[in-house]
């Protein structure tokens, strides 16, 4: 039943380099799809509007801006039921690959509110999605298949590094993290979050700067 949904690809690449083999397959599929996705096997998309939201973002901000989802974990029986795990990282970890001060925020109207997107020190999400124009830019850049595994690990590098060096990566601000998110189905952090994280009350409300035109 599932055979039409996948095809096998033989490779002699070492296990830690399999992500880069996936990059080759994405490039070879150029011209065949609306989006080209690199997705780790524990990432789940629940939002039926996921790609509609991506399309809207792409139409507003063009191919140089790449929207990444916020990755979250859940534990319904724990003191913390939902935890967003990828947003902030020590700036030194990614400063050599990107400058988050360049065009640091974007605003986009959505239904009856404004969504705030931010450059983030932690652009990882265990996945990325490129439209055809972005795929062409990525494939034509010196970052494509450059063999660089200097970001955290070979797995993290395959999932994030070459697109981080090619595009301005944004995520929805944490106040609106729900707008574009994926589930991390192999939770590693939420079980210990209650012992390691101290929750504090918000000191001020989120106030987007975009104003609806008259």
């Amino acid at each position: 039943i599932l055979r039409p949904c996948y095809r096998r690809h033989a490779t002699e690449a070492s296990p830690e380099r399999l992500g880069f083999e996936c990059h080759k397959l994405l490039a070879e599929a150029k011209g065949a799809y609306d989006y080209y996705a690199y997705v780790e096997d524990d990432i789940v998309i629940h939002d039926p509007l996921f790609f509609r939201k991506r399309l809207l973002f792409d139409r507003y901000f063009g191919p140089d801006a790449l929207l990444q989802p916020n990755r979250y974990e859940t534990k319904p029986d724990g003191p913390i039921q939902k935890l967003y795990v990828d947003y902030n990282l020590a700036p030194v970890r990614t400063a050599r690959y990107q400058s988050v001060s360049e065009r640091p925020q974007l605003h986009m109207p959505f239904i009856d509110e404004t969504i705030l997107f931010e450059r983030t020190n932690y652009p990882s999400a265990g996945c990325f999605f490129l439209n055809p124009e972005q795929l062409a830019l990525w494939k034509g850049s010196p970052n494509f298949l450059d063999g660089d595994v200097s970001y955290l690990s070979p797995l993290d590098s395959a999932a994030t590094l070459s697109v981080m060096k090619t595009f301005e990566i944004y995520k929805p601000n944490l106040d609106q993290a729900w707008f574009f998110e994926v589930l991390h189905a192999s939770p590693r952090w939420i079980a210990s979050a209650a012992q390691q994280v101290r929750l504090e009350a918000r000191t001020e409300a989120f106030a987007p700067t975009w104003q609806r035109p008259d």
Side-chain angles (χ1 to χ4, degrees), residues 74-164:
T74 60
K75 186 173 175 51
D77 59 346
I80 298 176
Q81 285 80 46
K82 183 175 183 179
L83 177 72
Y84 288 100
V85 298
D86 299 325
Y87 202 83
N88 289 314
L89 188 68
V92 68
R93 292 284 192 176
T94 57
R96 61 184 289 193
Y97 311 117
Q98 63 171 359
S99 176
V100 297
S101 63
E102 297 179 3
R103 203 161 60 142
Q105 295 184 341
L106 299 173
H107 297 83
M108 185 182 76
F110 180 73
I111 306 179
D112 61 348
E113 62 181 301
T114 299
I115 307 299
L116 169 62
F117 305 100
E118 294 183 326
R119 299 290 298 273
T120 169
N121 293 318
Y122 200 179
S124 302
C127 58
F128 61 80
F129 304 84
L130 304 178
N131 63 33
E133 192 171 1
Q134 289 171 327
L135 181 68
L137 289 173
W138 181 49
K139 185 179 179 181
S141 78
N143 308 313
F144 180 70
L145 298 181
D146 62 2
D148 190 351
V149 295
S150 60
Y151 174 62
L152 301 181
S153 71
L155 177 63
D156 292 289
S157 295
T160 306
L161 182 53
S162 63
V163 292
M164 174 170 39

Side-chain angles (χ1 to χ4, degrees), residues 33-53:
Y33 302 99
D34 296 325
Y35 281 97
Y36 301 82
Y38 177 102
V39 184
E40 293 179 358
D41 60 1
D42 58 2
I43 298 298
V44 182
I45 300 174
H46 287 300
D47 185 358
L49 295 178
F50 187 88
F51 288 104
R52 300 290 290 182
K53 293 173 180 177

Side-chain angles (χ1 to χ4, degrees), residues 144-200:
F144 180 70
L145 298 181
D146 62 2
D148 190 351
V149 295
S150 60
Y151 174 62
L152 301 181
S153 71
L155 177 63
D156 292 289
S157 295
T160 306
L161 182 53
S162 63
V163 292
M164 174 170 39
K165 294 192 293 185
T166 305
F167 303 101
E168 298 173 352
I169 292 184
Y170 294 85
K171 290 185 179 183
N173 175 272
L174 283 179
D175 288 276
Q176 299 170 311
W178 55 266
F179 177 79
F180 200 64
E181 63 182 13
V182 293
L183 171 66
H184 184 220
S186 301
R188 294 196 297 269
W189 297 286
I190 193 169
S192 59
Q195 288 76 41
Q196 299 182 22
V197 177
R198 180 167 59 91
L199 303 180
E200 295 183 356

